[in-house]
Amino acid sequence: MALKNKVQSIFVSGWRKNAWLMISSSRSINTFATGFDDNRILKSPSLVSIDLPDVWNSSSTGYSELSAHKFASEQTARVIDGKQIAEEIISKVAIEVTRMKKTIGEVPGLGVILVGDRKDSLTYVRNKITACEEAGIKFKLTKFSDNCTEDEVCDAIMRFNVDSSFHGILVQLPLPQHLNEAKILDVVKLEKDVDGFHPMNMGNLAMRGREPLFIPCTPKGCVELLIRYGVEIMGKKAVVIGRSNIVGLPTSLLLQRHHATVTIATALTPNAEEITREADILISGVGVPNMVRGSWVKPGAVVVDVGTYPIEDSSCEQGYRLIGDVCYEEASRVASLITPVPGGVGPMTVAMLLCNTLESATRKYNFV
Amino acid sequence: MALKNKVQSIFVSGWRKNAWLMISSSRSINTFATGFDDNRILKSPSLVSIDLPDVWNSSSTGYSELSAHKFASEQTARVIDGKQIAEEIISKVAIEVTRMKKTIGEVPGLGVILVGDRKDSLTYVRNKITACEEAGIKFKLTKFSDNCTEDEVCDAIMRFNVDSSFHGILVQLPLPQHLNEAKILDVVKLEKDVDGFHPMNMGNLAMRGREPLFIPCTPKGCVELLIRYGVEIMGKKAVVIGRSNIVGLPTSLLLQRHHATVTIATALTPNAEEITREADILISGVGVPNMVRGSWVKPGAVVVDVGTYPIEDSSCEQGYRLIGDVCYEEASRVASLITPVPGGVGPMTVAMLLCNTLESATRKYNFV
């Protein structure tokens, strides 16, 4: 694993371009994780052994001078109002929940597990509580301190699993490093996996002819916005920046199901902007502020910014504000449609969570 | 579903380009499947309702005249000898099986279900039987006539599921139209899904940090060939032509896990050759003979042909021979490395099946 650690430390120091050169000149990268052991039957290494973090930074992307690109002098992009769409959706969820309560005496229930005291996680959970209250969805938060054990978290999930008044279970990510995220998420009962992160859901999302029980909330929200704003997806070139299991991966899979020609750009893609400039639909979810410059965007493209990077701002109520991956000032002069941060994808993620929770209850009670 | 049927019939008649124009001028394609029903909470349609067959044809790809492209006068590509590599791998599997038998008195077992009398399926199954015999793997074939019932097939799978002498179960595809493929494949016990088609395996293939129990054989074979021929995958542009659940999808997921920048070209990608020409690694699996012309290939690229199209040839033993998606004569003058058909990916698929079956037995017995 020595080379993997070297790669990680290089990324952290921001020498992405130099790291790339180092790696490509080293021994065959296909074997870097395990060595070329002639006793093994196959040369292919295990997948987990070759995993690398998708660490982006904005310092060495080969970006050419701003002056070389002609931007419109003012914003040309129409703004996608995710906040408004999310409110409309939540209102409709509320109507359905009321109808469910009147008709069968049940309401959907969402159980949330929160570990630690990250400010952003606290905010996200608070937003979810507020939205559930608006929609009439029962909500329960189980909190753990930062140094809790895996067993404590798993037990809490299992209690939600067997509690018939809860139809959705969500583990607020990220979890502290000492906890095994995959192991914990696997405890969530598939029928209550409203975040859609269970590999069974992901497989059913990926495979044509199959329907996942739940589509992950953020990608689901992105596509809902595209549809509502009349964006054609079929046959279009879509580029997804980032390949996290919670955003980049499911977003690319969902766009594929909608028949886009999808490319995933990763932190190991040299000159990612050459690829993003070809995109009719550009979706970025890496959490690196202002990484996507105007020069990364094809004129007239649709830009969806999933990035949420907190920066300190004492003038804000929480003491911080969120900025996205996209340099809004530049990109909005090139794109035809763009989501703002905040007020774009974020509210839609919450709205989709409510939809998934309602969907789960609807399925359980066969409610029509 | 009227528009979907129209689309399918247009594809069948080969008017792909005209079909594309028709579709793009019709109402928003994101809603074609379900209509814009304002009573629904979300506008996004269900995924299965928007699925389309990935029907390629070579007639209308916008290919410009052959004379415009300068090919080398003779073959420049090194040929990837899949047959030889497969034989080496099967020999090593045989050694392991012998060791297993001597050490713990067990051998891996593979159960195969075959429905109908397709010549190509019969050939593939025969190849698998021969390979199993070479490797010392126990093999059992359960055959059904073309008009069998779903229950008969499912019962046979369930018998293999509970039979401890079988560690892998394979349903030879394609199945006759009247059988529900997904439903049947779902019956296969996950721990014996040596084809890797179960959505749980697919999800674990897709998600970083996770390991599938089995990687689908054909993509696994493709990557094994790339590694053995010293092809760098990390950071390279890989284009996968076709998005079938058994080839295109898992191949793209596997290449992503190996850190390539992956694009999937589908039958709905306008001017696919503009995209394939950017690929350092080009993998085609659509079953359309000679579709991938020399002009589709970037000079020096690595070309992997997964296509297997049977054409009648009375001079061949089976009465037919296989040709691939790639116009070998042209592509071999542009590419640096190329797989032949036959003798490239095909034998590797069989070898990987044996590896997966051995892996399954190894896991079960904790054999080291």
Side-chain angles (χ1 to χ4, degrees):
Chain A
M1 294 285 278
L3 181 56
K4 183 170 176 175
N5 290 339
K6 189 193 296 183
V7 165
Q8 284 175 317
S9 64
I10 288 168
F11 282 160
V12 164
S13 71
W15 293 343
R16 182 169 166 271
K17 200 180 219 171
N18 290 337
W20 173 245
L21 291 170
M22 283 184 66
I23 295 167
S24 54
S25 62
S26 70
R27 60 190 173 116
S28 165
I29 207 62
N30 295 308
T31 59
F32 75 85
T34 61
F36 220 87
D37 176 359
D38 282 340
N39 288 333
R40 291 183 304 133
I41 296 178
L42 299 179
K43 307 303 177 191
S44 305
S46 79
L47 297 184
V48 171
S49 74
I50 59 172
D51 279 331
L52 288 173
D54 207 40
V55 180
W56 290 75
N57 66 68
S58 52
S59 59
S60 55
T61 55
Y63 168 70
S64 47
E65 287 309 313
L66 191 53
S67 57
H69 301 272
K70 307 213 182 318
F71 299 141
S73 53
E74 52 181 33
Q75 176 162 325
T76 56
R78 193 173 152 210
V79 179
I80 293 178
D81 192 341
K83 189 165 182 285
Q84 181 195 2
I85 301 291
E87 282 168 6
E88 286 173 22
I89 289 170
I90 291 173
S91 300
K92 289 198 169 183
V93 170
I95 290 168
E96 272 303 283
V97 169
T98 302
R99 193 170 72 85
M100 185 182 273
K101 191 169 184 179
K102 278 191 178 151
T103 316
I104 62 172
E106 301 282 356
V107 294
L110 176 66
V112 173
I113 312 267
L114 176 62
V115 180
D117 291 300
R118 284 177 62 122
K119 275 190 183 175
D120 52 352
S121 292
L122 281 162
T123 303
Y124 297 147
V125 169
R126 241 194 318 264
N127 292 343
K128 288 162 187 173
I129 295 176
T130 305
C132 282
E133 283 168 353
E134 269 180 52
I137 288 176
K138 170 176 165 173
F139 186 97
K140 181 175 178 185
L141 174 64
T142 302
K143 251 190 121 299
F144 293 102
S145 61
D146 201 72
N147 59 358
C148 69
T149 64
E150 249 167 40
D151 281 349
E152 285 176 305
V153 179
C154 293
D155 286 347
I157 295 172
M158 287 189 284
R159 282 192 294 275
F160 278 133
N161 277 346
V162 299
D163 188 333
S164 60
S165 68
F166 290 95
H167 310 89
I169 303 168
L170 180 153
V171 179
Q172 186 64 43
L173 303 176
L175 290 168
Q177 297 272 33
H178 71 282
L179 299 177
N180 183 330
E181 186 180 288
K183 179 182 165 191
I184 284 170
L185 290 182
D186 278 357
V187 176
V188 176
K189 197 173 170 181
L190 196 62
E191 292 74 20
K192 300 192 181 190
D193 174 36
V194 285
D195 256 345
F197 296 153
H198 193 286
M200 186 77 177
N201 265 323
M202 207 66 78
N204 281 320
L205 171 60
M207 298 172 77
R208 282 187 308 147
R210 291 185 178 266
E211 201 76 42
L213 286 178
F214 306 101
I215 296 172
C217 304
T218 295
K220 185 173 168 129
C222 291
V223 169
E224 184 69 19
L225 287 177
L226 293 177
I227 291 175
R228 283 174 182 255
Y229 275 76
V231 176
E232 262 198 77
I233 302 177
M234 179 183 276
K236 296 300 180 187
K237 276 192 201 164
V239 174
V240 176
I241 304 175
R243 52 172 170 161
S244 64
N245 287 342
I246 59 177
V247 176
L249 170 70
T251 301
S252 69
L253 296 176
L254 187 56
L255 289 169
Q256 270 160 217
R257 291 298 292 274
H258 281 265
H259 315 297
T261 301
V262 183
T263 302
I264 299 187
T266 79
L268 297 166
T269 301
N271 302 322
E273 64 271 28
E274 285 175 11
I275 289 167
T276 61
R277 268 199 295 271
E278 300 290 311
D280 301 307
I281 299 169
L282 181 59
I283 303 191
S284 183
V286 295
V288 176
N290 291 319
M291 184 186 73
V292 181
R293 307 292 300 267
S295 59
W296 287 45
V297 180
K298 174 167 146 180
V302 177
V303 176
V304 178
D305 190 349
V306 187
T308 48
Y309 191 85
I311 57 172
E312 285 196 18
D313 189 337
S314 51
S315 67
C316 296
E317 189 187 324
Q318 332 278 2
Y320 72 92
R321 63 185 167 92
L322 292 175
I323 57 176
D325 288 357
V326 178
C327 178
Y328 188 90
E329 195 185 313
E330 289 177 13
S332 58
R333 293 174 188 181
V334 184
S336 63
L337 263 179
I338 189 165
T339 59
V341 177
V345 175
M348 288 298 288
T349 297
V350 175
M352 294 305 105
L353 174 64
L354 268 53
C355 287
N356 280 353
T357 306
L358 171 63
E359 174 72 27
S360 180
T362 299
R363 255 182 226 136
K364 178 184 170 182
Y365 302 124
N366 252 327
F367 182 63
V368 287
Chain B
M1 294 284 279
L3 182 56
K4 183 170 176 174
N5 290 338
K6 189 194 296 182
V7 165
Q8 285 174 318
S9 64
I10 288 168
F11 283 160
V12 165
S13 71
W15 293 344
R16 181 167 166 273
K17 201 180 217 170
N18 291 336
W20 172 243
L21 291 170
M22 284 184 64
I23 295 167
S24 54
S25 61
S26 70
R27 59 189 174 119
S28 166
I29 206 63
N30 295 307
T31 59
F32 76 85
T34 61
F36 221 86
D37 175 0
D38 283 341
N39 287 332
R40 291 183 304 132
I41 296 178
L42 299 179
K43 306 305 176 189
S44 306
S46 78
L47 298 182
V48 170
S49 73
I50 59 172
D51 279 330
L52 288 174
D54 207 40
V55 179
W56 291 74
N57 66 70
S58 51
S59 59
S60 54
T61 55
Y63 168 69
S64 48
E65 286 309 314
L66 191 53
S67 58
H69 300 272
K70 307 212 182 319
F71 300 140
S73 54
E74 52 181 34
Q75 175 163 326
T76 55
R78 194 173 151 210
V79 180
I80 293 179
D81 192 342
K83 188 165 182 284
Q84 182 196 1
I85 301 291
E87 282 169 6
E88 286 172 23
I89 290 171
I90 292 173
S91 300
K92 290 200 170 182
V93 171
I95 290 168
E96 272 303 282
V97 170
T98 302
R99 193 170 72 85
M100 185 181 273
K101 190 169 185 180
K102 278 192 177 150
T103 317
I104 62 172
E106 302 282 357
V107 294
L110 176 65
V112 173
I113 312 267
L114 176 62
V115 180
D117 291 300
R118 284 177 62 122
K119 276 189 183 174
D120 52 352
S121 293
L122 282 162
T123 302
Y124 297 147
V125 169
R126 240 193 320 262
N127 292 344
K128 289 163 187 172
I129 294 176
T130 305
C132 281
E133 283 168 354
E134 268 181 53
I137 289 176
K138 171 177 163 172
F139 187 96
K140 182 176 176 183
L141 174 63
T142 301
K143 253 190 121 298
F144 293 101
S145 62
D146 201 71
N147 59 359
C148 69
T149 63
E150 250 168 40
D151 282 348
E152 285 176 304
V153 179
C154 292
D155 286 347
I157 295 172
M158 288 190 283
R159 283 192 293 274
F160 277 134
N161 278 345
V162 299
D163 188 333
S164 60
S165 68
F166 290 95
H167 310 89
I169 303 168
L170 180 153
V171 179
Q172 186 64 42
L173 302 176
L175 290 168
Q177 297 272 34
H178 71 282
L179 299 177
N180 183 331
E181 187 181 288
K183 178 181 166 192
I184 285 170
L185 290 180
D186 278 357
V187 177
V188 176
K189 196 172 169 182
L190 197 62
E191 292 74 20
K192 300 192 181 190
D193 174 36
V194 286
D195 257 346
F197 295 153
H198 193 286
M200 186 77 177
N201 265 324
M202 206 66 79
N204 281 321
L205 171 60
M207 297 171 77
R208 283 188 306 147
R210 293 186 176 265
E211 201 77 41
L213 285 179
F214 305 101
I215 295 172
C217 303
T218 295
K220 185 172 167 130
C222 291
V223 169
E224 184 68 19
L225 287 177
L226 293 177
I227 290 175
R228 284 173 181 256
Y229 276 78
V231 176
E232 262 199 79
I233 302 176
M234 179 182 277
K236 295 300 179 188
K237 275 191 201 165
V239 174
V240 177
I241 304 175
R243 52 171 170 162
S244 65
N245 288 341
I246 58 176
V247 177
L249 171 69
T251 302
S252 68
L253 296 176
L254 187 56
L255 289 169
Q256 270 161 216
R257 293 296 293 273
H258 281 265
H259 315 297
T261 301
V262 183
T263 302
I264 299 187
T266 80
L268 296 167
T269 300
N271 302 323
E273 65 271 28
E274 286 176 9
I275 289 167
T276 61
R277 268 199 296 270
E278 299 290 312
D280 302 307
I281 299 169
L282 181 60
I283 303 191
S284 184
V286 293
V288 176
N290 291 319
M291 183 186 73
V292 180
R293 307 293 300 266
S295 58
W296 286 48
V297 179
K298 175 166 146 181
V302 177
V303 177
V304 179
D305 190 350
V306 186
T308 48
Y309 192 85
I311 57 172
E312 283 194 22
D313 189 336
S314 51
S315 68
C316 296
E317 190 187 323
Q318 332 276 4
Y320 72 92
R321 63 186 168 93
L322 292 175
I323 58 175
D325 288 357
V326 178
C327 178
Y328 188 90
E329 194 185 314
E330 290 177 13
S332 59
R333 294 174 186 182
V334 185
S336 62
L337 263 179
I338 189 165
T339 59
V341 177
V345 174
M348 289 298 289
T349 297
V350 175
M352 294 305 105
L353 174 63
L354 267 54
C355 287
N356 280 353
T357 306
L358 171 63
E359 174 71 27
S360 180
T362 300
R363 255 181 226 137
K364 179 183 172 184
Y365 301 124
N366 252 327
F367 182 63
V368 288

